[in-house]
PDB file of all heavy atoms in Angstrom:
ATOM      1  N   PRO A  16       9.000   7.574 -19.809  1.00 78.00           N
ATOM      2  CA  PRO A  16      10.177   7.073 -19.126  1.00 78.00           C
ATOM      3  C   PRO A  16       9.760   6.431 -17.806  1.00 78.00           C
ATOM      4  O   PRO A  16       8.972   6.955 -17.057  1.00 78.00           O
ATOM      5  CB  PRO A  16      11.006   8.314 -18.933  1.00 78.00           C
ATOM      6  CG  PRO A  16      10.567   9.342 -19.842  1.00 78.00           C
ATOM      7  CD  PRO A  16       9.114   9.036 -20.093  1.00 78.00           C
ATOM      8  N   GLU A  17      10.476   5.277 -17.521  1.00 78.00           N
ATOM      9  CA  GLU A  17      10.053   4.481 -16.329  1.00 78.00           C
ATOM     10  C   GLU A  17      10.328   5.264 -15.033  1.00 78.00           C
ATOM     11  O   GLU A  17       9.571   5.078 -14.053  1.00 78.00           O
ATOM     12  CB  GLU A  17      10.782   3.144 -16.338  1.00 78.00           C
ATOM     13  CG  GLU A  17      10.132   2.213 -15.324  1.00 78.00           C
ATOM     14  CD  GLU A  17      10.738   0.790 -15.414  1.00 78.00           C
ATOM     15  OE1 GLU A  17      11.518   0.559 -16.354  1.00 78.00           O
ATOM     16  OE2 GLU A  17      10.394  -0.003 -14.523  1.00 78.00           O
ATOM     17  N   ASP A  18      11.306   6.155 -15.044  1.00 79.00           N
ATOM     18  CA  ASP A  18      11.613   6.874 -13.786  1.00 79.00           C
ATOM     19  C   ASP A  18      10.517   7.996 -13.542  1.00 79.00           C
ATOM     20  O   ASP A  18      10.482   8.557 -12.498  1.00 79.00           O
ATOM     21  CB  ASP A  18      12.975   7.439 -13.810  1.00 79.00           C
ATOM     22  CG  ASP A  18      13.220   8.434 -14.925  1.00 79.00           C
ATOM     23  OD1 ASP A  18      12.479   8.386 -15.904  1.00 79.00           O
ATOM     24  OD2 ASP A  18      14.098   9.306 -14.803  1.00 79.00           O
ATOM     25  N   LEU A  19       9.692   8.210 -14.556  1.00 84.00           N
ATOM     26  CA  LEU A  19       8.658   9.185 -14.406  1.00 84.00           C
ATOM     27  C   LEU A  19       7.296   8.541 -14.051  1.00 84.00           C
ATOM     28  O   LEU A  19       6.603   9.050 -13.138  1.00 84.00           O
ATOM     29  CB  LEU A  19       8.508   9.940 -15.776  1.00 84.00           C
ATOM     30  CG  LEU A  19       7.749  11.226 -15.747  1.00 84.00           C
ATOM     31  CD1 LEU A  19       8.511  12.285 -14.980  1.00 84.00           C
ATOM     32  CD2 LEU A  19       7.468  11.705 -17.171  1.00 84.00           C
ATOM     33  N   ALA A  20       6.969   7.485 -14.703  1.00 87.00           N
ATOM     34  CA  ALA A  20       5.669   6.840 -14.410  1.00 87.00           C
ATOM     35  C   ALA A  20       5.809   5.378 -14.687  1.00 87.00           C
ATOM     36  O   ALA A  20       6.470   4.892 -15.629  1.00 87.00           O
ATOM     37  CB  ALA A  20       4.546   7.450 -15.221  1.00 87.00           C
ATOM     38  N   ARG A  21       5.112   4.540 -13.917  1.00 89.00           N
ATOM     39  CA  ARG A  21       5.012   3.077 -14.109  1.00 89.00           C
ATOM     40  C   ARG A  21       3.794   2.571 -13.484  1.00 89.00           C
ATOM     41  O   ARG A  21       3.102   3.247 -12.697  1.00 89.00           O
ATOM     42  CB  ARG A  21       6.294   2.452 -13.553  1.00 89.00           C
ATOM     43  CG  ARG A  21       6.557   2.704 -12.072  1.00 89.00           C
ATOM     44  CD  ARG A  21       8.057   2.915 -11.854  1.00 89.00           C
ATOM     45  NE  ARG A  21       8.333   3.512 -10.551  1.00 89.00           N
ATOM     46  CZ  ARG A  21       8.341   4.810 -10.319  1.00 89.00           C
ATOM     47  NH1 ARG A  21       8.205   5.665 -11.356  1.00 89.00           N
ATOM     48  NH2 ARG A  21       8.558   5.304  -9.134  1.00 89.00           N
ATOM     49  N   VAL A  22       3.481   1.351 -13.791  1.00 89.00           N
ATOM     50  CA  VAL A  22       2.219   0.721 -13.233  1.00 89.00           C
ATOM     51  C   VAL A  22       2.652  -0.506 -12.383  1.00 89.00           C
ATOM     52  O   VAL A  22       3.622  -1.166 -12.759  1.00 89.00           O
ATOM     53  CB  VAL A  22       1.182   0.372 -14.291  1.00 89.00           C
ATOM     54  CG1 VAL A  22       0.648   1.556 -14.983  1.00 89.00           C
ATOM     55  CG2 VAL A  22       1.793  -0.596 -15.341  1.00 89.00           C
ATOM     56  N   ASP A  23       1.869  -0.712 -11.362  1.00 89.00           N
ATOM     57  CA  ASP A  23       2.072  -1.902 -10.602  1.00 89.00           C
ATOM     58  C   ASP A  23       0.831  -2.747 -10.733  1.00 89.00           C
ATOM     59  O   ASP A  23      -0.205  -2.432 -10.089  1.00 89.00           O
ATOM     60  CB  ASP A  23       2.268  -1.434  -9.063  1.00 89.00           C
ATOM     61  CG  ASP A  23       2.512  -2.568  -8.116  1.00 89.00           C
ATOM     62  OD1 ASP A  23       2.258  -3.776  -8.518  1.00 89.00           O
ATOM     63  OD2 ASP A  23       2.905  -2.310  -7.011  1.00 89.00           O
ATOM     64  N   LEU A  24       0.901  -3.734 -11.592  1.00 87.00           N
ATOM     65  CA  LEU A  24      -0.265  -4.498 -11.915  1.00 87.00           C
ATOM     66  C   LEU A  24      -0.787  -5.381 -10.791  1.00 87.00           C
ATOM     67  O   LEU A  24      -1.963  -5.630 -10.657  1.00 87.00           O
ATOM     68  CB  LEU A  24      -0.018  -5.338 -13.140  1.00 87.00           C
ATOM     69  CG  LEU A  24       0.107  -4.486 -14.486  1.00 87.00           C
ATOM     70  CD1 LEU A  24       0.557  -5.371 -15.588  1.00 87.00           C
ATOM     71  CD2 LEU A  24      -1.102  -3.749 -14.796  1.00 87.00           C
ATOM     72  N   ASP A  25       0.098  -5.852  -9.938  1.00 86.00           N
ATOM     73  CA  ASP A  25      -0.329  -6.654  -8.793  1.00 86.00           C
ATOM     74  C   ASP A  25      -1.192  -5.854  -7.828  1.00 86.00           C
ATOM     75  O   ASP A  25      -2.233  -6.331  -7.391  1.00 86.00           O
ATOM     76  CB  ASP A  25       0.892  -7.153  -7.978  1.00 86.00           C
ATOM     77  CG  ASP A  25       1.652  -8.210  -8.801  1.00 86.00           C
ATOM     78  OD1 ASP A  25       1.062  -8.729  -9.762  1.00 86.00           O
ATOM     79  OD2 ASP A  25       2.789  -8.490  -8.463  1.00 86.00           O
ATOM     80  N   GLU A  26      -0.805  -4.639  -7.591  1.00 86.00           N
ATOM     81  CA  GLU A  26      -1.534  -3.747  -6.622  1.00 86.00           C
ATOM     82  C   GLU A  26      -2.557  -2.899  -7.421  1.00 86.00           C
ATOM     83  O   GLU A  26      -3.336  -2.141  -6.799  1.00 86.00           O
ATOM     84  CB  GLU A  26      -0.602  -2.848  -5.834  1.00 86.00           C
ATOM     85  CG  GLU A  26       0.201  -3.525  -4.784  1.00 86.00           C
ATOM     86  CD  GLU A  26      -0.635  -3.835  -3.495  1.00 86.00           C
ATOM     87  OE1 GLU A  26      -1.678  -3.180  -3.246  1.00 86.00           O
ATOM     88  OE2 GLU A  26      -0.208  -4.761  -2.789  1.00 86.00           O
ATOM     89  N   ARG A  27      -2.580  -3.058  -8.712  1.00 89.00           N
ATOM     90  CA  ARG A  27      -3.498  -2.319  -9.623  1.00 89.00           C
ATOM     91  C   ARG A  27      -3.409  -0.802  -9.384  1.00 89.00           C
ATOM     92  O   ARG A  27      -4.396  -0.176  -9.031  1.00 89.00           O
ATOM     93  CB  ARG A  27      -4.892  -2.821  -9.480  1.00 89.00           C
ATOM     94  CG  ARG A  27      -4.984  -4.292  -9.882  1.00 89.00           C
ATOM     95  CD  ARG A  27      -6.327  -4.868  -9.461  1.00 89.00           C
ATOM     96  NE  ARG A  27      -7.416  -4.531 -10.333  1.00 89.00           N
ATOM     97  CZ  ARG A  27      -7.748  -5.093 -11.480  1.00 89.00           C
ATOM     98  NH1 ARG A  27      -7.000  -6.091 -11.923  1.00 89.00           N
ATOM     99  NH2 ARG A  27      -8.734  -4.709 -12.162  1.00 89.00           N
ATOM    100  N   ARG A  28      -2.132  -0.293  -9.472  1.00 92.00           N
ATOM    101  CA  ARG A  28      -1.946   1.127  -9.207  1.00 92.00           C
ATOM    102  C   ARG A  28      -0.912   1.680 -10.198  1.00 92.00           C
ATOM    103  O   ARG A  28      -0.135   0.980 -10.690  1.00 92.00           O
ATOM    104  CB  ARG A  28      -1.522   1.345  -7.731  1.00 92.00           C
ATOM    105  CG  ARG A  28      -0.157   0.764  -7.507  1.00 92.00           C
ATOM    106  CD  ARG A  28       0.195   0.882  -6.003  1.00 92.00           C
ATOM    107  NE  ARG A  28       1.569   0.313  -5.845  1.00 92.00           N
ATOM    108  CZ  ARG A  28       2.221   0.348  -4.734  1.00 92.00           C
ATOM    109  NH1 ARG A  28       1.665   0.879  -3.680  1.00 92.00           N
ATOM    110  NH2 ARG A  28       3.459  -0.126  -4.641  1.00 92.00           N
ATOM    111  N   ALA A  29      -1.011   3.028 -10.299  1.00 92.00           N
ATOM    112  CA  ALA A  29      -0.041   3.740 -11.110  1.00 92.00           C
ATOM    113  C   ALA A  29       0.792   4.698 -10.298  1.00 92.00           C
ATOM    114  O   ALA A  29       0.248   5.263  -9.287  1.00 92.00           O
ATOM    115  CB  ALA A  29      -0.732   4.532 -12.184  1.00 92.00           C
ATOM    116  N   ILE A  30       2.051   4.768 -10.568  1.00 93.00           N
ATOM    117  CA  ILE A  30       2.954   5.653  -9.778  1.00 93.00           C
ATOM    118  C   ILE A  30       3.570   6.710 -10.690  1.00 93.00           C
ATOM    119  O   ILE A  30       4.126   6.376 -11.720  1.00 93.00           O
ATOM    120  CB  ILE A  30       4.086   4.767  -9.146  1.00 93.00           C
ATOM    121  CG1 ILE A  30       3.477   3.691  -8.229  1.00 93.00           C
ATOM    122  CG2 ILE A  30       5.033   5.646  -8.336  1.00 93.00           C
ATOM    123  CD1 ILE A  30       4.403   2.558  -7.914  1.00 93.00           C
ATOM    124  N   LEU A  31       3.471   7.890 -10.293  1.00 94.00           N
ATOM    125  CA  LEU A  31       3.952   9.006 -11.114  1.00 94.00           C
ATOM    126  C   LEU A  31       4.884   9.853 -10.231  1.00 94.00           C
ATOM    127  O   LEU A  31       4.490  10.325  -9.152  1.00 94.00           O
ATOM    128  CB  LEU A  31       2.798   9.912 -11.625  1.00 94.00           C
ATOM    129  CG  LEU A  31       3.148  11.032 -12.550  1.00 94.00           C
ATOM    130  CD1 LEU A  31       3.619  10.456 -13.911  1.00 94.00           C
ATOM    131  CD2 LEU A  31       1.905  11.882 -12.807  1.00 94.00           C
ATOM    132  N   ASP A  32       6.067  10.097 -10.655  1.00 94.00           N
ATOM    133  CA  ASP A  32       7.049  10.943  -9.909  1.00 94.00           C
ATOM    134  C   ASP A  32       7.253  12.235 -10.646  1.00 94.00           C
ATOM    135  O   ASP A  32       7.495  12.181 -11.910  1.00 94.00           O
ATOM    136  CB  ASP A  32       8.453  10.273  -9.779  1.00 94.00           C
ATOM    137  CG  ASP A  32       8.402   9.112  -8.836  1.00 94.00           C
ATOM    138  OD1 ASP A  32       7.419   9.072  -8.008  1.00 94.00           O
ATOM    139  OD2 ASP A  32       9.277   8.222  -8.809  1.00 94.00           O
ATOM    140  N   VAL A  33       7.098  13.385 -10.007  1.00 93.00           N
ATOM    141  CA  VAL A  33       7.252  14.634 -10.716  1.00 93.00           C
ATOM    142  C   VAL A  33       8.274  15.513  -9.930  1.00 93.00           C
ATOM    143  O   VAL A  33       8.486  15.366  -8.750  1.00 93.00           O
ATOM    144  CB  VAL A  33       5.945  15.369 -10.844  1.00 93.00           C
ATOM    145  CG1 VAL A  33       4.957  14.641 -11.737  1.00 93.00           C
ATOM    146  CG2 VAL A  33       5.266  15.673  -9.500  1.00 93.00           C
ATOM    147  N   GLU A  34       8.901  16.437 -10.700  1.00 93.00           N
ATOM    148  CA  GLU A  34       9.851  17.359 -10.156  1.00 93.00           C
ATOM    149  C   GLU A  34       9.063  18.394  -9.303  1.00 93.00           C
ATOM    150  O   GLU A  34       8.174  19.093  -9.815  1.00 93.00           O
ATOM    151  CB  GLU A  34      10.612  18.112 -11.223  1.00 93.00           C
ATOM    152  CG  GLU A  34      11.657  17.228 -11.921  1.00 93.00           C
ATOM    153  CD  GLU A  34      12.852  16.950 -10.987  1.00 93.00           C
ATOM    154  OE1 GLU A  34      13.116  17.808 -10.085  1.00 93.00           O
ATOM    155  OE2 GLU A  34      13.512  15.891 -11.106  1.00 93.00           O
ATOM    156  N   ALA A  35       9.481  18.566  -8.087  1.00 93.00           N
ATOM    157  CA  ALA A  35       8.767  19.594  -7.172  1.00 93.00           C
ATOM    158  C   ALA A  35       9.006  20.978  -7.659  1.00 93.00           C
ATOM    159  O   ALA A  35       8.179  21.868  -7.408  1.00 93.00           O
ATOM    160  CB  ALA A  35       9.253  19.426  -5.776  1.00 93.00           C
ATOM    161  N   SER A  36      10.109  21.208  -8.423  1.00 92.00           N
ATOM    162  CA  SER A  36      10.350  22.598  -8.877  1.00 92.00           C
ATOM    163  C   SER A  36       9.447  22.944  -9.967  1.00 92.00           C
ATOM    164  O   SER A  36       9.180  24.124 -10.267  1.00 92.00           O
ATOM    165  CB  SER A  36      11.808  22.728  -9.313  1.00 92.00           C
ATOM    166  OG  SER A  36      12.095  21.718 -10.333  1.00 92.00           O
ATOM    167  N   LEU A  37       8.991  21.942 -10.731  1.00 92.00           N
ATOM    168  CA  LEU A  37       8.038  22.182 -11.893  1.00 92.00           C
ATOM    169  C   LEU A  37       6.597  22.210 -11.409  1.00 92.00           C
ATOM    170  O   LEU A  37       5.747  22.961 -11.976  1.00 92.00           O
ATOM    171  CB  LEU A  37       8.233  21.153 -12.968  1.00 92.00           C
ATOM    172  CG  LEU A  37       9.591  21.117 -13.668  1.00 92.00           C
ATOM    173  CD1 LEU A  37       9.597  19.947 -14.690  1.00 92.00           C
ATOM    174  CD2 LEU A  37       9.832  22.417 -14.396  1.00 92.00           C
ATOM    175  N   TYR A  38       6.293  21.373 -10.493  1.00 93.00           N
ATOM    176  CA  TYR A  38       4.914  21.217 -10.003  1.00 93.00           C
ATOM    177  C   TYR A  38       4.886  21.519  -8.542  1.00 93.00           C
ATOM    178  O   TYR A  38       5.208  20.653  -7.703  1.00 93.00           O
ATOM    179  CB  TYR A  38       4.400  19.779 -10.273  1.00 93.00           C
ATOM    180  CG  TYR A  38       4.359  19.470 -11.770  1.00 93.00           C
ATOM    181  CD1 TYR A  38       5.385  18.694 -12.316  1.00 93.00           C
ATOM    182  CD2 TYR A  38       3.330  19.892 -12.538  1.00 93.00           C
ATOM    183  CE1 TYR A  38       5.417  18.371 -13.689  1.00 93.00           C
ATOM    184  CE2 TYR A  38       3.327  19.543 -13.963  1.00 93.00           C
ATOM    185  CZ  TYR A  38       4.361  18.811 -14.477  1.00 93.00           C
ATOM    186  OH  TYR A  38       4.397  18.475 -15.781  1.00 93.00           O
ATOM    187  N   PRO A  39       4.434  22.748  -8.181  1.00 93.00           N
ATOM    188  CA  PRO A  39       4.365  23.089  -6.752  1.00 93.00           C
ATOM    189  C   PRO A  39       3.372  22.158  -5.980  1.00 93.00           C
ATOM    190  O   PRO A  39       2.498  21.594  -6.667  1.00 93.00           O
ATOM    191  CB  PRO A  39       3.895  24.501  -6.683  1.00 93.00           C
ATOM    192  CG  PRO A  39       3.406  24.815  -8.070  1.00 93.00           C
ATOM    193  CD  PRO A  39       3.995  23.866  -8.977  1.00 93.00           C
ATOM    194  N   VAL A  40       3.573  22.037  -4.670  1.00 94.00           N
ATOM    195  CA  VAL A  40       2.696  21.152  -3.905  1.00 94.00           C
ATOM    196  C   VAL A  40       1.205  21.477  -4.107  1.00 94.00           C
ATOM    197  O   VAL A  40       0.343  20.611  -4.206  1.00 94.00           O
ATOM    198  CB  VAL A  40       3.068  21.307  -2.395  1.00 94.00           C
ATOM    199  CG1 VAL A  40       2.102  20.444  -1.540  1.00 94.00           C
ATOM    200  CG2 VAL A  40       4.449  20.795  -2.217  1.00 94.00           C
ATOM    201  N   GLU A  41       0.916  22.797  -4.188  1.00 93.00           N
ATOM    202  CA  GLU A  41      -0.485  23.235  -4.365  1.00 93.00           C
ATOM    203  C   GLU A  41      -1.074  22.652  -5.643  1.00 93.00           C
ATOM    204  O   GLU A  41      -2.248  22.282  -5.700  1.00 93.00           O
ATOM    205  CB  GLU A  41      -0.642  24.745  -4.365  1.00 93.00           C
ATOM    206  CG  GLU A  41      -0.514  25.442  -3.065  1.00 93.00           C
ATOM    207  CD  GLU A  41       0.961  25.422  -2.526  1.00 93.00           C
ATOM    208  OE1 GLU A  41       1.893  25.202  -3.316  1.00 93.00           O
ATOM    209  OE2 GLU A  41       1.124  25.642  -1.283  1.00 93.00           O
TER     210      GLU A  41
END
Side-chain angles (χ1 to χ4, degrees):
Chain A
E17 195 174 352
D18 61 338
L19 196 68
R21 55 219 166 270
V22 294
D23 180 347
L24 291 173
D25 289 346
E26 288 283 338
R27 297 167 78 83
R28 65 185 184 175
I30 301 162
L31 185 69
D32 288 343
V33 296
E34 285 291 330
S36 58
L37 294 177
Y38 299 98
V40 175
E41 285 74 15

